[in-house]
Amino acid sequence: MARKTMIEAIRDAMDVSMGRDERVIVFGEDVGFFGGVFRCTAGLQAKYGKSRCFDAPINESGIVGAAIGMAAYGLRPCVEVQFADYVYPGYDQIVSEAARLRYRSNGDFTCPIVVRMPSGGGIFGGQTHSQSPEALFTHVSGLKVVVPSNPRDAKGLLIAAIEDPDPVIFFEPKRLYNGPFDGHHKRPVTPWSKHELGEVPDGHYTVPLGKAAIRREGSDVTVLAYGTMVYVAEAAAAETGIDAEIIDLRTLLPLDLDAIVASVSKTGRCVVVHEATQTSGFGAELATLVQENCFYHLEAPIARVAGWDTPYPHAQEWDYFPGPARVGRALVETMEA
Amino acid sequence: MARKTMIEAIRDAMDVSMGRDERVIVFGEDVGFFGGVFRCTAGLQAKYGKSRCFDAPINESGIVGAAIGMAAYGLRPCVEVQFADYVYPGYDQIVSEAARLRYRSNGDFTCPIVVRMPSGGGIFGGQTHSQSPEALFTHVSGLKVVVPSNPRDAKGLLIAAIEDPDPVIFFEPKRLYNGPFDGHHKRPVTPWSKHELGEVPDGHYTVPLGKAAIRREGSDVTVLAYGTMVYVAEAAAAETGIDAEIIDLRTLLPLDLDAIVASVSKTGRCVVVHEATQTSGFGAELATLVQENCFYHLEAPIARVAGWDTPYPHAQEWDYFPGPARVGRALVETMEA
Amino acid sequence: MTDTGMLRFHVPEPEVRPGGAPDFSNVPIPRAGSVPRPEIDVDPREIRDLAFSIIRVLNRAGEAVGPWAGLLSDEELLEGLRHMMTLRAFDARMQMAQRQGKTSFYMQHLGEEAVSCAFRKALAPGDMNFPTYRQAGLLIAGGYPMVTMMNQIYSNEADPLKGRQLPIMYSSKEHGFFSISGNLATQYIQAVGWAMASAISGDNRIAVGWIGDGSTAESDFHAALVFASTYKAPVVLNVVNNQWAISTFQGIARGGSGTFAARGLGFGIPALRVDGNDYLAVHAVAKWAIERARRNLGPTLIEHVTYRAGAHSTSDDPSAYRPKAESDAWPLGDPVIRLKNHLIRLGVWSEERHAQAEAEILDTVIAAQKQAEEHGTLHSGNKPSTRDMFEGVYEQMPPHLRRQRQQAGV
Amino acid sequence: MTDTGMLRFHVPEPEVRPGGAPDFSNVPIPRAGSVPRPEIDVDPREIRDLAFSIIRVLNRAGEAVGPWAGLLSDEELLEGLRHMMTLRAFDARMQMAQRQGKTSFYMQHLGEEAVSCAFRKALAPGDMNFPTYRQAGLLIAGGYPMVTMMNQIYSNEADPLKGRQLPIMYSSKEHGFFSISGNLATQYIQAVGWAMASAISGDNRIAVGWIGDGSTAESDFHAALVFASTYKAPVVLNVVNNQWAISTFQGIARGGSGTFAARGLGFGIPALRVDGNDYLAVHAVAKWAIERARRNLGPTLIEHVTYRAGAHSTSDDPSAYRPKAESDAWPLGDPVIRLKNHLIRLGVWSEERHAQAEAEILDTVIAAQKQAEEHGTLHSGNKPSTRDMFEGVYEQMPPHLRRQRQQAGV
Ligand SMILES: Cc1ncc(C[n+]2csc(CCOP(=O)(O)OP(=O)(O)O)c2C)c(N)n1
Ligand SMILES: Cc1ncc(C[n+]2csc(CCOP(=O)(O)OP(=O)(O)O)c2C)c(N)n1
Ligand SMILES: [Mg+2]
Ligand SMILES: [Mg+2]
C-alpha cells in the first residue's frame, strides 16, 4: 500500500473513477492542462483526454450549472471550485438547482455531481483563501456534505461521492494536503508519508458517506470535529492529558448521529470544534443535536470552539485559528464544569 | 395613530426615510413605476422621482452589487429582492462584499445598505416563493439580520436598518403582510386594522436593532420565535394552556441574548421555533446559546420546531408548515420532560 | 477636473403608460420575406445584421414568402394550428380553474403560442429543452398528455411530481422537457452543460435553452453564452422577448443594445431575430439553428419577438402598468389568426372549420379536465400523501429525514 | 432524426505549450496611427470595428503617430516613465521580500505597467477606481506613498488595513482606489453602482471598473454591462487582457468572439481595443472614454491588449503551462522600453539618464522599504494587535464579538 499525500489521494480517487466509468468527467478553473492550482487533477487530461478533463472559464455558476446539465444528461461531473471562498457565485446553482432537482422532478431528473473545493485556513491566505463555509450547505436539504481529514478517507470518500446518486459538496481542508496539521504552526508538520492514514489502498474502494470514525477512544469527554480540527483536538487531548474521545465526523450531511449519541451517552460531556465562524456554524447543529439526544447524560454544558465571528484576518491568522490551546482550554473547562 | 398593514408600514418607513435623507434610494425588480409585486414601494417613484426609486434589471447580483457601489459613494440604498428564494444569485455580493467591506478596508469604505425581501411560506408559493433563508445570513459576520413580526416593528426596524451604518438583511414574512397569521389556515385571518400592533406611529421613529420583545409573559417555558412563528406560538400557548413566555427576537444578528437568558433562567425550559428547514437553521444557534448560557437552569431538553428538511412542497404546504399543533406538542413535551 | 457640469441619471421608460395611447410606430418591422437565409455554416461575423432585423414569412395577405418559407406541408401547418389552438384553450380553462380555486397559480401563453409550438416541431426525438414557465407548447406539440399536465397543475393524487412543485412547473424527460425551475435563467447554462455532455459523449442530440427578455439580465445568461461560445456547444439559445417582465418593459433588461439578439454578437454566436407570432418563421429559424447545432457548428441565439397579451400570471394585473389596448396595437398580430388566415389563403381551411375545430378542441380540453379532476384538485379530492413530501430529497432517505417523517406521524 | 453523425467536443487550446516555439504571427497588429479617433459623441454602432482593431500611438521607430497622438507634454511623458519604472522596481523589491519570507504573497505587474500608470493620469481628482490586484500603478501614479503600500504588504503595525487583508489588497478612498476584493469581478458592477450614484447625485465624478481577461467570464461582468448599458452610467469599464488567467489562456474566457472588447457590442456600449503596452495609446483612449463618461454620454468598454510577463503570483510557476520565451516573443514589446525609446527619440532622454533614473528609483524604493520594515514585517517586528482583529466587523462592536474578544483574552 502506497503512502500518498492528500492531494495524491484525491487525484487517485478521480483517476480510479474516470478509469472505471466513462461518465465521470472533471473540469474547473486551471484543472485541465495545468492540473489545478493545488495539482489535484495533474495528469488527468493527459491520461483521459481533453473531453474528460478540461479548463473552465472563471465562472463558478457556469461550472456548477454546466455540471448540473451534464448530470441531467447522464454524466457524472466532478468539478473543482478553486477555493471554497469562491463558491458563492455558484451558490444559487447548488442550492436552487442541484439540491432540488430530484425532488422537484420526482426523480425524473437527478443530479449526481461532486463539487470539490479546498477549504479552511492556516496558510496565510487572508479572508479569501481561508474560509470554511460548510454550514451554508448543511442547511440545504438535498445536498450531502463531506469533509475528509486524511488521505485514506479522502480517496474513499471522494470515490463514494462520485458514485453517489445525489449532489455532494466535498471540502478539502487545504492545510491537511501535505500532512496532519495540529495547529502548532511553529513546529514542522509531519508529512503524510509518516502517518498511518497516509497509507492509501490502490484501486477502487469507498468510505461510505454518513459514517463517522472514532480517531481516539476516551471516556472523559467527546470531541466532535472534522477536517483539520481532528488533529488540533488530538493535540489538545494529549497536552491536557484529558481522556477525550475524538470523533471525526467525515460526513456532516447526512450525519452519523448514532456514533455521536453513543459516545456522549458514555462520556457525558462534549466539545464541538470547527474552524468556521461560530455563530450559525455547523457546531450549533451538533451541539443542539447532542442536547436533544443526550440531555439526561450531560454533566456539563456543551462547549464550542470555533473561528471568531470576524472575517478571516491575514496577519492575525494564529489568533484567529482555533488552535490546541483554545481547544485544550475548552476541554479543561468542560471537565471542570 | 393610523392602523396600517405591514405593507403600508414598510412603505411608510421608506417614505419617511426618503423624505428625511436625500441619500436614501430604493430600487429592485418591478419596484419603480409599478411599486413592487407586493406593492411595498407603490407611490415612491411618483413622489421622489425616477432617480430615487426605479426598476432594476432582473439580476440580484447586480442589484446588490450596484447598491454596494452606491453605498461606497455615500448613498443609502434600500433594495428589494422580489422573493427571499431569489436572493442566492446576489449571495456572493452580500457575503463576500457587503459584509466584508468595512473590515477589509478598515473603515475606509463602508456599506450601509438594506436588502429587503419577502420570506416564509403559507401562501401556496411552492419551493420558490416560500423559503426562509435567514440562517444563511446569520452565519456571515458583518451582516445584521432582521425579521419583523408586525407593522409597528416593521416600520421602526426598517428605518433603523436604513439608518444603520452596516449592511442589513431585512426579511418580511409575507404571510404577515395583511394580518397576524397563527397557522390556522382554515380560519379567516384578523386584519392588522384589528390588531394593536397594526397601530403605526406617523413620521420618524426607530425600533432599535438587536433588541427582542416579549410578546407574552409566562413562567412555564420560554418560546423563542420570530416572524410568523410568533403568532403560531401564541396560538399554541393559548390552545395548550401552557404559560409560555414568548420572545419575538426581531433581530437575529446581533441577537438579544440577555433577554433570552433572563427568560430561560426564569422558566427553565425552552422551545425554539422557525419556518426554515431544521438542520443548521437559526434554531440550532439559539438552542446552542441557551444551553451554553442556561445549562444549569434547564429542566428539559430544548426543543426545536422547524420546517422539515425537505424543499418547501406545494400541495403539502400545511403538512410542512410548523403550525400550532406541532408547536403545541413541543410545548407539552417540554413541560412533561 | 474638466468642468463638464452635472451628471444626470438615466432610467429608460416605455413609450406609453396606462392612460396613454399605445404606439408601436417606432418599432421597425421589416417586410415578410425580406431577410435573407444564410448558409448553415455561415461565419457569424457575416450575419451581424440579422441581430437587428426580424425574419418573417407570413405577410399581411397571409402568404408565405421569401427564403425562409416553404418548409412545412399543409398537414404540418394544420397540425401547428391545432397545437396553438389547443394551448390557448388549455390556458383559458386552467386560468379559469385557478380563479375557481382549483389550484393556486397559473401562467398563460396568450399571444406567444407560436414560439414553443413551432419550435417543438423542428426538434428530433431525444433533444432536450430547458424551458421557462411559458413554453408549454413544447409539451402540447410534443404529444404530452394534457391530463397529466392538469394533474400537475392541480397537485392531485395523479400529479407526476407528487404535489411538490408549483402549478405548471412540469417535468418530462421522456418528452425532452427539463424540470422547470422557478428561478430565472439558471436553466440556460444547464442547457449548455447538457449540450456539452452530448458532444462529450459523441451523441447527436442537441439541447435548447429558453429564457425571457427580462431574464437575459440575469447572470446565468452570461455563463451560458460564455460556455456555449468557448466549447461550441450544440445548443440553441432562445430569448422570448414578449416585451414585458412582469411590470418591467424590455428596455430595462435590454439597455442600449437595440435588441436582445445583439447580445450574441459579443460572443461570436450567430444571432437571429424572428417574428415570434409567425409560426412558419419560428419553425424555419428553429430548423436552421438546430441543424447548425447538430452539424457541430455550435450555438445559435434566437430572439423571438412577440408580445405577452395576457397578465404575467394569475397574481398579476397589467392594467396597472401598461395601456389596456397595447396588445391590440402590437404590430405582429396574433399567431393563431395569422396561421389561420394563411391556411384559408392556401385553401385548406375556412372560418367554419376553424370555429368547428375550436369547439372540438374545447371539448377535448374539457374532457381532459374532467378526467384530471377525478384525481382531485388542490383543495379537494385526493392528494399526494404527506409521506411523499419526505421522499425524493435524496435517492435513499437519510436517517434524519426518516426521524422527521416519524415525528410527522406518517 | 437527421443523421448528422456524432457531435465532437471542442476545447480551445493555446497555440503553443512548454517545449513549443512561441508564435504570435497570427495575432493581427495594426500599424500605429492607423485607427481613427471618433468624435466623443459618436454613435456606438458606427465604431463596431474598433472592438476588433488595436489603437496604437508609438510605432517601431519610437514615434508617436496618428490621430490618438499629441496629448501629453514631454514632462508628462517623463513622469509617466518614472511611474512605470517605479512600479517595476517596487514589484521587484516586494517580490524579493516575499521570497525572503517578509510577507506571505505578492503579485506583480511586469509588462503591464503602462495600463494602470497611463490610465491614472487621465483621471480627475474624485474619480473612483474599482481595481483588481494588478493596478497598483493607479496608486504609484496617483502619488500614494510607497511606504504605506509596503506597510500593507507587510501587515505590520503601520498597515492602514490593520493586517486584516492579504498583501497588495490596498484601499484608499482618498486616492480614488476602492478596496480590492480577492473575489474576481464583484467590483465591476460596484463601479457601475458608484457611477450611478454619482449621476443620481448630480455630481461630475466618474467611476472606473477594472477586470482581467479571465474574469470577464464571471457573471458580475454581465451584471455590470447590463446596468451600465441600461442606466448609461458614467463609468469606464477596463478589461486588462494580459493573455493569461493563471494557467488558462485567454481563449477559454473569450470563446468565439475574437476579442474581449466585442462583448460591449451586445450592449450598445462603445468598445475600443488599445495597445496596453503603449503608454500614449492607453492614456489617449482613457481620456476619450473618461470624457464620454463625464459628458454624460455613458459607459465605454476598453480592452487593454497586453501580456503578463511574470508569474500570476508568487504562488505560481508559469513554466508549467507556457513556453519560457513567450514573453519575449510578445509582439507589443515592453511598455517601459517603448516609452524610453520614444523619449530618447524626442531628444529629452538618453540611455544614461535612464540608467541613472533606474538607480535613483531603486534607491527611493529601498529607502521606502527600510522605512516600512521599521514598522515590522509579517513574521517579525511589531504587528497589528489581536484586538484589531475584532474591530471593524461592524461600526459598533456587538455584544457577541465583545464576548469573543474577552474569551480571546485581549
Ligand atoms: C432569480 C429570480 N428572480 C426573480 C424572479 C421573479 N420573477 C418571476 S417571473 C419574472 C419576470 C420574468 O420576465 P421575462 O424573463 O421577460 O419572462 P416572461 O415572464 O415575460 O415570460 C420575475 C422577475 C424569479 N423567478 N427568479
Ligand atoms: C470568484 C473567484 N474565482 C476564482 C478565483 C481564483 N483566481 C484568482 S486570480 C485568477 C485568474 C484571473 O485571471 P485574469 O482575470 O485574467 O486576471 P490576471 O490575473 O491575468 O490579471 C483566479 C482564477 C478568485 N479569486 N475569485
Ligand atoms: Mg418577458
Ligand atoms: Mg489575465
Side-chain angles (χ1 to χ4, degrees):
Chain A
M1 199 147 57
R3 303 261 177 164
K4 286 189 157 69
T5 67
M6 202 140 149
I7 291 170
E8 289 161 346
I10 285 164
R11 186 190 303 149
D12 195 15
M14 287 185 270
D15 191 355
V16 166
S17 301
M18 292 173 90
R20 285 166 56 97
D21 186 346
E22 279 228 312
R23 299 171 303 171
V24 178
I25 65 160
V26 164
F27 63 101
E29 295 156 20
D30 300 297
V31 313
F33 184 86
F34 181 58
V37 294
F38 287 104
R39 319 314 313 279
C40 290
T41 58
L44 298 179
Q45 181 176 83
K47 185 162 175 188
Y48 297 102
K50 276 202 303 172
S51 285
R52 296 189 57 207
C53 177
F54 53 90
D55 288 329
I58 304 174
N59 185 315
E60 291 75 11
S61 185
I63 290 168
V64 178
I68 293 169
M70 292 172 178
Y73 175 91
L75 300 186
R76 293 187 161 259
C78 174
V79 302
E80 176 174 308
V81 167
Q82 202 160 80
F83 284 87
D85 318 60
Y86 303 138
V87 71
Y88 308 117
Y91 194 66
D92 186 39
Q93 285 284 351
I94 294 174
V95 172
S96 306
E97 301 293 326
R100 310 292 192 228
L101 187 54
R102 174 189 295 280
Y103 191 79
R104 75 171 198 239
S105 73
N106 191 27
D108 195 26
F109 294 93
T110 61
C111 193
I113 68 171
V114 180
V115 185
R116 295 175 40 239
M117 56 191 116
S119 63
I123 63 153
F124 278 99
Q127 38 190 298
T128 54
H129 303 87
S130 307
Q131 295 171 36
S132 298
E134 64 275 3
L136 304 173
F137 297 93
T138 53
H139 188 43
V140 180
S141 58
L143 299 181
K144 299 189 176 178
V145 179
V146 176
V147 192
S149 71
N150 61 71
R152 193 187 298 169
D153 279 357
K155 178 174 170 184
L157 287 165
L158 183 52
I159 294 178
I162 291 171
E163 294 175 358
D164 197 89
D166 287 303
V168 180
I169 310 298
F170 195 89
F171 291 101
E172 301 171 2
K174 65 178 91 69
R175 195 53 166 92
L176 297 181
Y177 271 155
N178 293 310
F181 176 68
D182 65 5
H184 284 294
H185 53 94
K186 290 191 174 150
R187 300 186 199 154
V189 175
T190 332
W192 283 118
S193 59
K194 302 240 170 77
H195 195 284
E196 187 202 1
L197 292 167
E199 282 191 0
V200 176
D202 291 332
H204 180 270
Y205 69 97
T206 59
V207 171
L209 306 189
K211 288 272 163 268
I214 296 181
R215 292 296 166 208
R216 182 190 191 287
E217 295 202 9
S219 55
D220 287 349
V221 49
T222 301
V223 179
L224 303 179
Y226 47 94
T228 312
M229 287 300 121
V230 170
Y231 305 97
V232 175
E234 283 179 355
E239 287 156 27
T240 55
I242 290 171
D243 187 25
E245 177 142 304
I246 299 175
I247 300 189
D248 176 357
L249 297 172
R250 302 200 291 198
T251 305
L252 309 191
L253 193 68
L255 185 69
D256 191 349
L257 185 60
D258 292 347
I260 296 170
V261 172
S263 178
V264 180
S265 304
K266 178 179 79 178
T267 62
R269 294 170 200 266
C270 182
V271 173
V272 176
V273 293
H274 59 62
E275 276 185 77
T277 49
Q278 174 164 309
T279 297
S280 273
F282 191 63
E285 180 63 29
L286 291 171
T288 301
L289 286 169
V290 168
Q291 77 83 29
E292 280 171 359
N293 288 279
C294 310
F295 185 79
Y296 299 102
H297 291 95
L298 281 177
E299 291 165 41
I302 306 151
R304 281 191 286 185
V305 186
W308 306 117
D309 283 327
T310 76
Y312 206 110
H314 178 247
Q316 301 91 336
E317 172 124 52
W318 302 119
D319 302 319
Y320 183 88
F321 188 90
R326 275 181 66 205
V327 176
R329 216 175 314 132
L331 290 175
V332 170
E333 279 168 18
T334 302
M335 290 314 297
E336 288 171 357
Chain B
M1 199 148 56
R3 302 259 178 168
K4 285 189 159 69
T5 68
M6 202 140 148
I7 291 170
E8 290 160 346
I10 286 164
R11 186 189 302 148
D12 195 16
M14 287 184 271
D15 191 355
V16 166
S17 300
M18 291 174 90
R20 286 166 56 98
D21 186 348
E22 279 228 311
R23 298 171 305 170
V24 177
I25 66 160
V26 165
F27 63 101
E29 295 157 20
D30 300 297
V31 313
F33 184 85
F34 182 57
V37 294
F38 288 103
R39 321 312 314 279
C40 291
T41 58
L44 298 179
Q45 182 175 82
K47 185 161 176 188
Y48 297 102
K50 278 202 302 172
S51 286
R52 295 189 58 207
C53 176
F54 53 91
D55 288 330
I58 304 174
N59 185 315
E60 291 75 10
S61 185
I63 291 168
V64 178
I68 293 169
M70 291 172 179
Y73 175 91
L75 299 187
R76 294 188 160 258
C78 173
V79 301
E80 176 175 307
V81 168
Q82 203 161 80
F83 284 87
D85 317 60
Y86 303 138
V87 71
Y88 307 118
Y91 194 66
D92 186 39
Q93 285 284 352
I94 295 173
V95 172
S96 306
E97 301 293 327
R100 311 291 192 229
L101 186 54
R102 175 189 294 281
Y103 192 78
R104 75 170 198 239
S105 72
N106 191 27
D108 195 25
F109 293 93
T110 62
C111 193
I113 67 172
V114 179
V115 185
R116 295 175 40 239
M117 56 192 117
S119 63
I123 62 153
F124 278 99
Q127 37 191 299
T128 53
H129 303 88
S130 307
Q131 295 171 37
S132 299
E134 64 276 3
L136 303 174
F137 297 92
T138 53
H139 189 43
V140 181
S141 58
L143 298 181
K144 298 189 176 178
V145 178
V146 176
V147 192
S149 71
N150 61 70
R152 193 186 300 169
D153 279 358
K155 178 174 171 184
L157 287 165
L158 183 51
I159 294 177
I162 291 171
E163 294 175 358
D164 196 89
D166 288 302
V168 180
I169 310 298
F170 195 89
F171 291 102
E172 301 171 2
K174 65 177 92 67
R175 196 52 166 93
L176 298 182
Y177 271 155
N178 294 309
F181 175 68
D182 66 5
H184 285 293
H185 53 94
K186 289 187 175 153
R187 300 186 198 154
V189 175
T190 331
W192 282 119
S193 59
K194 303 242 170 77
H195 194 284
E196 185 202 0
L197 292 168
E199 283 190 1
V200 176
D202 291 332
H204 181 270
Y205 70 98
T206 59
V207 171
L209 306 189
K211 287 272 162 268
I214 296 181
R215 292 296 167 207
R216 183 191 190 286
E217 295 202 9
S219 55
D220 287 349
V221 50
T222 300
V223 179
L224 303 179
Y226 48 94
T228 312
M229 288 300 121
V230 170
Y231 304 98
V232 175
E234 283 178 355
E239 287 156 27
T240 55
I242 290 171
D243 188 23
E245 177 142 305
I246 300 175
I247 300 188
D248 177 356
L249 298 173
R250 302 200 289 197
T251 305
L252 309 191
L253 193 68
L255 185 71
D256 191 349
L257 185 60
D258 292 347
I260 296 170
V261 172
S263 178
V264 180
S265 303
K266 178 177 79 176
T267 62
R269 295 170 200 265
C270 182
V271 173
V272 176
V273 292
H274 58 63
E275 277 186 77
T277 49
Q278 174 164 309
T279 297
S280 273
F282 191 63
E285 180 64 28
L286 291 171
T288 301
L289 286 170
V290 168
Q291 77 84 29
E292 280 171 359
N293 289 279
C294 310
F295 185 79
Y296 299 102
H297 291 96
L298 282 176
E299 290 165 41
I302 305 152
R304 280 191 287 184
V305 185
W308 307 117
D309 283 326
T310 76
Y312 206 111
H314 177 247
Q316 300 91 337
E317 171 125 52
W318 302 119
D319 302 320
Y320 184 89
F321 188 89
R326 275 181 66 205
V327 176
R329 215 174 315 130
L331 289 175
V332 170
E333 278 168 20
T334 302
M335 289 314 297
E336 289 171 355
Chain C
M1 192 186 319
T2 338
D3 186 22
T4 45
M6 271 168 56
L7 293 164
R8 290 168 315 281
F9 188 54
H10 169 78
V11 182
E13 270 291 314
E15 311 258 323
V16 253
R17 287 293 196 183
D23 178 11
F24 288 107
S25 58
N26 67 334
V27 179
I29 310 283
R31 260 183 318 106
S34 65
V35 177
R37 182 176 190 281
E39 287 306 309
I40 215 83
D41 57 354
V42 66
D43 182 333
R45 285 171 297 186
E46 283 169 29
I47 55 164
R48 289 207 188 114
D49 285 356
L50 295 193
F52 300 97
S53 190
I54 303 181
I55 294 166
R56 307 179 64 225
V57 171
L58 289 177
N59 67 14
R60 281 178 190 272
E63 296 156 335
V65 295
W68 296 87
L71 290 177
L72 291 164
S73 70
D74 293 353
E75 288 65 44
E76 286 169 324
L77 289 172
L78 285 166
E79 194 195 18
L81 181 66
R82 188 164 49 76
H83 291 152
M84 292 199 289
M85 291 170 72
T86 305
L87 178 54
R88 191 166 287 188
F90 184 93
D91 273 349
R93 293 297 300 182
M94 290 296 102
Q95 181 90 0
M96 203 194 304
Q98 192 275 342
R99 295 287 180 231
Q100 292 163 344
K102 292 177 181 170
T103 189
S104 58
F105 179 76
Y106 192 71
M107 295 180 98
Q108 50 170 348
H109 304 74
L110 196 67
E112 302 177 44
E113 293 88 349
V115 176
S116 50
C117 289
F119 199 98
R120 178 62 184 81
K121 297 307 288 182
L123 287 168
D127 293 341
M128 184 61 70
N129 287 284
F130 287 75
T132 81
Y133 43 74
R134 229 184 282 283
Q135 282 92 43
L138 296 170
L139 290 172
I140 300 268
Y144 187 74
M146 265 191 286
V147 183
T148 316
M149 291 169 75
M150 289 167 171
N151 289 334
Q152 197 281 324
I153 290 166
Y154 288 148
S155 281
N156 65 20
E157 61 170 6
D159 171 7
L161 308 185
K162 302 279 186 201
R164 294 180 195 149
Q165 258 291 31
L166 261 194
I168 72 143
M169 300 283 172
Y170 318 106
S171 173
S172 173
K173 192 175 195 165
E174 198 192 329
H175 284 75
F177 193 96
F178 185 73
S179 155
I180 298 179
S181 168
N183 300 63
L184 300 173
T186 44
Q187 79 288 352
Y188 222 51
I189 172 68
Q190 293 164 8
V192 175
W194 196 100
M196 289 167 67
S198 183
I200 288 170
S201 309
D203 196 348
N204 72 348
R205 295 178 290 158
I206 66 136
V208 182
W210 293 91
I211 203 166
D213 50 300
S215 307
T216 61
E218 203 62 88
S219 287
D220 278 341
F221 178 76
H222 181 67
L225 267 67
V226 170
F227 277 66
S229 173
T230 291
Y231 302 112
K232 291 202 204 318
V235 64
V236 181
L237 296 170
N238 291 296
V239 176
V240 182
N241 176 4
N242 63 5
Q243 313 301 319
W244 291 92
I246 310 183
S247 77
T248 305
F249 92 117
Q250 47 120 357
I252 293 287
R254 193 203 58 207
S257 65
T259 72
F260 289 95
R263 294 282 199 265
L265 302 184
F267 295 86
I269 296 178
L272 293 77
R273 290 183 97 211
V274 63
D275 178 345
N277 291 9
D278 178 340
Y279 186 93
L280 287 83
V282 171
H283 175 267
V285 169
K287 266 257 178 250
W288 189 87
I290 290 164
E291 190 182 338
R292 268 184 56 82
R294 208 173 321 271
R295 285 228 234 136
N296 221 36
L297 295 164
T300 305
L301 183 71
I302 303 176
E303 176 181 346
H304 301 262
V305 183
T306 181
Y307 186 87
R308 193 196 79 211
H312 171 73
S313 72
T314 46
S315 317
D316 177 49
D317 172 13
S319 70
Y321 52 81
R322 67 185 192 187
K324 274 219 165 64
E326 195 178 275
S327 159
D328 302 326
W330 176 243
L332 295 176
D334 177 277
V336 174
I337 297 175
R338 284 175 70 194
L339 183 54
K340 179 187 83 172
N341 289 344
H342 176 54
L343 286 163
I344 293 176
R345 176 110 202 176
L346 287 178
V348 299
W349 200 239
S350 66
E351 291 290 356
E352 298 67 45
R353 286 166 75 181
H354 193 80
Q356 193 186 332
E358 215 154 37
E360 279 167 20
I361 286 167
L362 185 59
D363 285 350
T364 324
V365 175
I366 289 175
Q369 192 179 1
K370 222 165 145 186
Q371 219 182 313
E373 291 182 6
E374 277 163 24
H375 294 292
T377 62
L378 180 58
H379 299 296
S380 75
N382 295 336
K383 6 190 281 156
S385 74
T386 308
R387 274 183 84 85
D388 279 332
M389 181 174 77
F390 292 97
E391 299 285 345
V393 183
Y394 301 90
E395 191 190 64
Q396 305 250 325
M397 191 177 294
H400 69 282
L401 268 177
R402 208 173 294 280
R403 278 192 299 274
Q404 291 185 10
R405 194 179 62 185
Q406 271 160 19
Q407 279 174 42
V410 292
Chain D
M1 190 184 327
T2 339
D3 187 21
T4 46
M6 273 167 54
L7 293 164
R8 291 168 316 282
F9 188 55
H10 169 79
V11 182
E13 270 291 315
E15 311 258 322
V16 253
R17 287 293 196 183
D23 178 12
F24 288 106
S25 58
N26 67 334
V27 179
I29 309 285
R31 260 183 318 107
S34 65
V35 178
R37 183 176 189 282
E39 287 305 309
I40 216 83
D41 56 355
V42 65
D43 182 335
R45 286 172 297 186
E46 282 168 30
I47 54 164
R48 289 207 187 113
D49 286 355
L50 295 193
F52 300 98
S53 190
I54 303 181
I55 294 165
R56 307 179 65 226
V57 170
L58 289 176
N59 68 14
R60 280 178 192 271
E63 296 156 334
V65 295
W68 296 88
L71 289 177
L72 291 163
S73 68
D74 293 353
E75 287 65 44
E76 287 168 324
L77 289 171
L78 285 166
E79 194 195 18
L81 181 66
R82 188 164 49 75
H83 291 152
M84 293 201 288
M85 291 171 73
T86 305
L87 178 54
R88 190 166 288 187
F90 183 92
D91 272 349
R93 292 298 299 183
M94 290 296 101
Q95 180 90 0
M96 201 195 302
Q98 192 275 342
R99 295 289 179 229
Q100 292 163 343
K102 292 178 181 169
T103 188
S104 58
F105 179 77
Y106 192 71
M107 296 181 97
Q108 50 169 348
H109 305 73
L110 195 68
E112 300 177 45
E113 292 88 348
V115 176
S116 50
C117 288
F119 199 98
R120 177 62 184 83
K121 296 308 289 182
L123 288 168
D127 293 342
M128 184 62 69
N129 288 283
F130 287 73
T132 81
Y133 44 73
R134 230 185 282 283
Q135 283 91 42
L138 296 170
L139 291 173
I140 300 268
Y144 188 74
M146 267 193 283
V147 183
T148 315
M149 293 169 74
M150 290 167 172
N151 289 334
Q152 197 282 324
I153 291 167
Y154 289 148
S155 281
N156 65 20
E157 62 170 5
D159 171 8
L161 307 185
K162 301 282 183 198
R164 294 180 195 149
Q165 258 290 31
L166 262 193
I168 70 143
M169 300 285 171
Y170 318 105
S171 173
S172 174
K173 192 175 196 167
E174 196 192 329
H175 285 75
F177 193 95
F178 186 72
S179 156
I180 299 179
S181 167
N183 300 62
L184 300 173
T186 43
Q187 80 288 352
Y188 222 50
I189 172 67
Q190 293 164 7
V192 175
W194 197 100
M196 288 166 69
S198 184
I200 288 170
S201 309
D203 196 348
N204 71 349
R205 294 179 291 158
I206 66 137
V208 182
W210 294 90
I211 203 167
D213 50 300
S215 307
T216 61
E218 204 60 89
S219 288
D220 277 342
F221 178 76
H222 182 67
L225 266 67
V226 170
F227 278 65
S229 173
T230 292
Y231 302 111
K232 292 204 206 313
V235 64
V236 181
L237 295 169
N238 291 296
V239 176
V240 182
N241 175 5
N242 63 5
Q243 313 299 320
W244 291 92
I246 309 184
S247 78
T248 305
F249 92 117
Q250 46 119 357
I252 292 286
R254 193 204 58 207
S257 66
T259 71
F260 289 94
R263 294 282 199 266
L265 301 185
F267 294 86
I269 296 178
L272 293 77
R273 289 183 97 213
V274 61
D275 178 345
N277 290 9
D278 178 340
Y279 187 93
L280 286 82
V282 171
H283 176 266
V285 169
K287 267 257 178 250
W288 189 88
I290 290 164
E291 191 181 336
R292 267 183 57 81
R294 209 174 317 272
R295 284 228 234 137
N296 221 34
L297 295 164
T300 305
L301 183 70
I302 303 176
E303 176 182 347
H304 301 262
V305 184
T306 180
Y307 185 88
R308 193 196 79 210
H312 171 72
S313 73
T314 46
S315 317
D316 177 48
D317 172 14
S319 70
Y321 53 80
R322 68 184 192 187
K324 274 218 165 66
E326 196 177 273
S327 158
D328 301 327
W330 176 244
L332 295 176
D334 177 277
V336 174
I337 297 175
R338 284 175 71 193
L339 184 54
K340 178 186 85 172
N341 290 344
H342 176 55
L343 287 163
I344 293 176
R345 175 110 201 176
L346 287 177
V348 298
W349 200 239
S350 66
E351 291 290 355
E352 298 68 47
R353 285 167 74 180
H354 193 80
Q356 193 188 333
E358 214 154 37
E360 279 166 21
I361 285 168
L362 184 60
D363 285 350
T364 323
V365 175
I366 289 175
Q369 191 177 1
K370 220 163 145 188
Q371 219 182 313
E373 291 182 7
E374 277 163 25
H375 294 292
T377 63
L378 180 57
H379 299 294
S380 76
N382 295 337
K383 3 191 283 157
S385 74
T386 308
R387 274 182 85 86
D388 279 331
M389 181 174 78
F390 293 97
E391 299 285 344
V393 182
Y394 302 89
E395 191 190 63
Q396 305 251 323
M397 191 177 294
H400 68 283
L401 268 177
R402 208 175 293 279
R403 278 191 299 273
Q404 291 185 10
R405 194 179 62 184
Q406 270 159 20
Q407 278 173 43
V410 291

